[in-house]
């Protein structure tokens, strides 16, 4: 009986409502949701996050047992890095990939198996320019074999280059001809290593000869510079062959000797090859020693430098790291250092974590990379993913903390934080370096509109539309509102009727009196 009285009272109340009430109700709702939307948008534009989302994450989530993966904004260590980088690093300079693969033994094998070209024309054209810069000089016309190789490096057709290299070797022993054959004709690393060893004998002989004559004029100076580049290239590729064939200690020794013999040739970034080999040996003390020398304010950074530094700091805490425990007790000093190192690495190149966490599939790295770009992320992860997997808990720590980076970077994103602002031309350059036919190029993770802004925008639009319709058609909208409310309460009325039919009338009467 009580339910029927209540239902009758609700119906009578709805019937007494006038169209003006519905106009006022929808108008007020639209006004309130509009004010919320304006405030949320202003707060997002100023602070880069939703006010409602921030309150829920900061105050409600810890009460519910969640973890905030962000770390406090640290003013330490890298402010000087940011200042020097702004002055010294150009925006979109393309670098030779220090760990680039062998065309014949690796890239071509991929093409044979998949039918896809792993290298873009732009990338290969940059390599051709590198070869002409490093392996030729103005006096090559004096030696027939060098003259042929000077034309060979400019050839676009791979088979024409190989044929020209053989022609040069028919005339005389030529180190650059052996280099070309090792890079492009050899189908295995073992074959490439044999050809590089032959090139080494000739290259050392030419280097010693030109070293004695380097001060006799500009022509001899150019020859000595070319012979130096050839010798360094051969030794480096031989070290990479040893690394690929499992002789890692031998590779490390060759790289160290090469860096001691030619300390000024930092443009080759041989230390990045050394870091990767030392990580394979799990010689973390030596890795730290190399980082101490090259992770310097005055030197340009790379994903290898930043992420290797983060890996070493994560290694100290990752095996015992627990997000739940960290949420309850806070981060320890060592954990804070690891998180800050991860944030630093992610700000330098934000594309790497998705590859390390296998959220995005890898492809073969290009021969050139753009620092802070997708191409560098692919090149780094291709060789270093195994090292992150080997450190227990390192990927888990990365997974829990990397996205917190974007809450730390000042908004708008162009301001940067620890490094110079992220270059706007990166995506365009990466599309030239990477085969976009079968690879989707990553873009800088922009701060997207939070859910609550989208929700309030939709709510504001919906209520504004209702207010407009109610103002134009008050009686019709009143009928729709009554029908909607009746439909909304229909399941409740059905349940109450079932309860009344099951419970004894005397019990129901006592409950209503209570």
């Amino acid at each position: 009986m009580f339910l029927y009285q209540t239902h009758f009272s609700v119906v009578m109340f709805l019937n007494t409502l006038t169209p003006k009430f519905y106009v006022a109700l929808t108008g007020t709702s639209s006004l309130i949701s509009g004010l919320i939307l304006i405030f949320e948008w202003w707060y997002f534009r100023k602070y880069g996050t939703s006010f409602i989302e921030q309150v829920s994450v900061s105050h409600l989530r810890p009460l519910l047992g969640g973890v905030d993966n962000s770390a406090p904004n640290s003013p330490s260590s890298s402010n000087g890095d940011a200042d020097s980088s702004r002055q010294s690093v150009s925006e979109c300079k393309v670098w030779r990939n220090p760990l680039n693969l062998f065309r014949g033994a690796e890239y071509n094998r991929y093409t044979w198996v998949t039918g896809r070209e792993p290298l873009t024309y732009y990338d290969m054209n940059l390599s051709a320019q590198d070869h002409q810069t490093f392996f030729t000089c103005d006096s090559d016309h004096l030696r027939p074999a060098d003259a042929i190789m000077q034309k060979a490096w400019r050839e676009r057709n791979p088979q024409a280059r190989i044929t020209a290299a053989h022609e040069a070797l028919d005339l005389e022993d030529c180190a650059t001809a052996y280099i070309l054959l090792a890079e492009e004709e050899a189908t295995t690393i073992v074959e490439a290593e044999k050809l590089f060893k032959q090139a080494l004998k000739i290259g050392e002989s030419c280097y010693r000869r030109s070293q004695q004559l380097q001060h006799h004029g500009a022509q001899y100076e150019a020859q000595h510079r070319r012979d130096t580049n050839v010798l360094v290239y051969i030794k480096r590729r031989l070290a990479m062959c040893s690394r690929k064939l499992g002789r890692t200690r031998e590779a490390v020794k060759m790289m160290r000797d090469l860096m001691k013999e030619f300390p000024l040739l930092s443009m080759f970034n041989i230390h990045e090859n050394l870091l990767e080999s030392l990580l394979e040996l799990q010689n973390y003390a030596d890795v730290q020693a190399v980082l101490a020398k090259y992770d310097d304010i005055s030197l340009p950074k790379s994903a290898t430098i930043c992420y290797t530094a983060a890996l070493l700091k994560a290694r100290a805490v990752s095996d015992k790291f627990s997000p739940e425990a960290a949420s309850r007790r806070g981060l320890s000093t060592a954990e804070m250092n690891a998180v800050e190192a991860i944030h630093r690495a992610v700000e330098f190149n934000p594309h790497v974590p998705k590859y390390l966490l296998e959220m995005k599939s890898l492809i073969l790295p290009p021969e050139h990379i753009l620092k802070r770009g997708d191409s560098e992320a692919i090149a780094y992860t291709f060789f270093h993913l195994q090292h992150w997997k080997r450190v227990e808990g390192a990927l888990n720590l990365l997974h829990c903390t990397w996205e917190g980076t974007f809450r730390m970077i000042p908004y708008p994103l162009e301001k940067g934080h620890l490094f110079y602002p992220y270059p706007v031309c990166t995506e365009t350059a990466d599309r030239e370096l990477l085969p976009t036919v079968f690879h989707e190029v990553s873009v800088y993770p922009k701060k997207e509109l939070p859910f609550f802004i989208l929700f309030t925008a939709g709510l504001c639009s919906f209520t504004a539309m209702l207010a407009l319709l109610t103002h134009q058609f008050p009686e019709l909208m009143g009928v729709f509102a009554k029908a909607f409310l009746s439909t909304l309460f229909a399941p409740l009325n059905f349940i109450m009727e079932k309860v009344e039919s099951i419970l004894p009338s005397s019990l129901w009467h006592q409950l209503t009196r209570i």
Side-chain angles (χ1 to χ4, degrees):
M1 188 66 182
F2 173 75
L3 286 179
Y4 286 113
Q5 291 177 353
T6 304
H7 179 67
F8 180 75
S9 300
V10 172
V11 172
M12 287 295 294
F13 174 74
L14 293 176
N15 289 332
T16 57
L17 296 177
T18 63
K20 292 182 179 180
F21 170 80
Y22 293 107
V23 173
L25 177 65
T26 53
T28 304
S29 302
S30 178
L31 177 63
I32 293 173
S33 58
L35 292 175
I36 294 174
L37 174 63
I38 292 171
F39 175 75
E40 279 281 282
W41 178 254
W42 169 81
Y43 195 88
F44 174 75
R45 292 294 297 174
K46 186 172 183 180
Y47 299 106
T49 186
S50 162
F51 174 77
I52 301 175
E53 184 177 350
Q54 185 182 35
V55 170
S56 63
V57 169
S58 302
H59 301 287
L60 299 180
R61 192 174 178 187
L63 296 176
L64 299 175
V67 180
D68 183 10
N69 293 332
S70 65
N73 193 332
S74 170
S76 64
S77 72
S78 297
N79 291 331
D81 192 1
D83 295 337
S84 65
S85 296
R86 289 189 180 94
Q87 299 173 2
S88 62
V89 180
S90 60
E91 274 201 342
C92 284
K93 179 181 178 180
V94 177
W95 300 71
R96 183 80 175 176
N97 182 5
L99 294 167
N100 67 301
L101 305 178
F102 293 84
R103 283 195 189 177
E106 292 171 308
Y107 287 121
N108 286 349
R109 293 172 71 86
Y110 177 83
T111 304
W112 299 336
V113 174
T114 64
R116 294 172 172 175
E117 290 291 343
L119 299 175
T120 63
Y121 172 77
Y122 175 72
D123 191 17
M124 291 189 288
N125 187 52
L126 289 176
S127 296
Q129 295 176 21
D130 291 341
H131 295 152
Q132 293 176 56
T133 302
F134 292 144
F135 301 151
T136 64
C137 64
D138 294 337
S139 62
D140 282 345
H141 64 277
L142 300 177
R143 295 179 58 189
D146 289 337
I148 293 176
M149 288 307 302
Q150 193 173 45
K151 296 179 181 179
W153 294 122
R154 292 196 293 264
E155 284 285 352
R156 294 185 179 182
N157 187 298
Q159 191 55 48
R161 290 196 296 272
I162 293 172
T163 301
H166 282 293
E167 290 178 1
L169 289 175
D170 288 340
L171 295 177
E172 58 181 322
D173 284 339
C174 179
T176 54
Y178 281 118
I179 289 176
L180 192 149
L181 295 179
E183 291 285 352
E184 301 194 30
E185 187 180 47
T187 56
T188 65
I189 301 298
V190 174
E191 293 178 16
E193 185 180 40
K194 291 179 179 177
L195 290 168
F196 274 121
K197 286 181 177 179
Q198 291 178 277
L200 180 62
K201 296 177 182 179
I202 305 167
E204 287 178 332
S205 175
C206 293
Y207 174 76
R208 286 192 296 268
R209 187 165 55 250
S210 65
Q211 190 176 32
Q212 297 173 356
L213 302 173
Q214 62 175 313
H215 301 299
H216 291 189
Q219 175 181 323
Y220 295 105
E221 189 72 34
Q223 286 182 0
H224 178 67
R225 185 166 54 250
R226 187 270 310 271
D227 291 339
T228 302
N229 291 335
V230 169
L231 183 61
V232 171
Y233 186 91
I234 294 171
K235 289 188 174 183
R236 182 205 193 124
R237 293 305 257 178
L238 277 172
M240 295 176 70
C241 287
S242 297
R243 168 69 183 92
K244 291 175 184 292
L245 294 173
R247 305 194 305 269
T248 310
R249 295 187 184 279
E250 178 184 334
V252 167
K253 184 180 183 304
M254 295 171 70
M255 292 173 192
R256 288 188 185 279
D257 292 342
L258 186 58
M259 293 168 67
K260 289 178 182 178
E261 188 177 359
F262 302 98
L264 299 179
L265 293 181
S266 58
M267 61 182 176
F268 288 102
N269 292 322
I270 302 172
H271 61 274
E272 297 198 9
N273 300 85
L274 179 60
L275 284 172
E276 195 279 327
S277 298
L278 291 172
L279 286 171
E280 176 63 22
L281 295 173
Q282 301 182 49
N283 195 340
Y284 298 110
D286 284 354
V287 172
Q288 184 60 60
V290 175
L291 284 177
K293 181 178 180 180
Y294 289 95
D295 192 3
D296 185 77
I297 291 177
S298 62
L299 297 176
K301 298 293 179 289
S302 66
T304 301
I305 293 292
C306 294
Y307 277 90
T308 302
L311 176 61
L312 291 189
K313 291 187 177 179
R315 176 176 170 268
V317 297
S318 59
D319 57 335
K320 299 177 181 178
F321 178 78
S322 169
E324 293 76 16
S327 176
R328 288 193 302 268
R329 59 172 168 76
L331 295 174
S332 65
T333 302
E335 289 172 338
M336 184 68 72
N337 291 336
V339 171
E340 288 178 357
I342 289 175
H343 286 326
R344 171 179 180 258
V346 174
E347 185 184 342
F348 181 82
N349 193 319
H351 310 298
V352 173
K354 285 192 174 182
Y355 291 108
L356 286 177
L357 297 172
E358 299 182 83
M359 300 165 63
K360 190 173 181 182
S361 58
L362 273 173
I363 61 172
L364 291 185
E367 291 185 336
H368 290 80
I369 58 174
L370 183 66
K371 288 193 174 183
R372 307 188 74 182
D374 192 28
S375 52
E376 184 191 34
I378 291 171
Y380 170 79
T381 311
F382 188 86
F383 295 98
H384 287 261
L385 177 58
Q386 58 181 331
H387 308 315
W388 279 81
K389 286 184 173 181
R390 189 178 292 124
V391 177
E392 183 182 356
L395 290 176
N396 176 52
L397 180 59
L398 177 68
H399 175 73
C400 293
T401 57
W402 75 278
E403 289 180 311
T405 304
F406 308 113
R407 288 196 289 271
M408 296 171 57
I409 299 176
Y411 193 83
L413 296 174
E414 289 75 13
K415 293 181 180 178
H417 177 51
L418 301 177
F419 297 99
Y420 59 96
Y422 192 81
V424 295
C425 59
T426 304
E427 180 183 350
T428 303
D430 274 332
R431 292 189 183 280
E432 296 288 338
L433 289 172
L434 298 172
T436 54
V437 176
F438 57 90
H439 174 74
E440 181 181 355
V441 174
S442 300
V443 297
Y444 189 85
K446 296 180 175 61
K447 291 189 177 182
E448 299 177 354
L449 287 177
F451 166 77
F452 289 105
I453 288 184
L454 300 175
F455 176 77
T456 52
L459 181 63
C460 179
S461 302
F462 179 71
T463 53
M465 183 184 66
L466 284 181
L468 179 63
L469 292 175
T470 306
H471 183 266
Q472 293 293 327
F473 313 100
E475 295 182 358
L476 181 60
M477 292 301 293
V479 173
F480 282 145
K482 292 174 183 177
F484 173 75
L485 292 174
S486 299
T487 306
L488 187 65
F489 286 108
L492 180 61
N493 292 332
F494 176 77
I495 294 173
M496 298 306 294
E497 289 176 0
K498 290 296 184 182
V499 171
E500 281 187 338
S501 63
I502 295 173
L503 293 176
S505 57
S506 59
L507 177 60
W508 186 251
H509 180 68
Q510 294 295 328
L511 291 174
T512 55
R513 289 182 63 184
I514 295 173

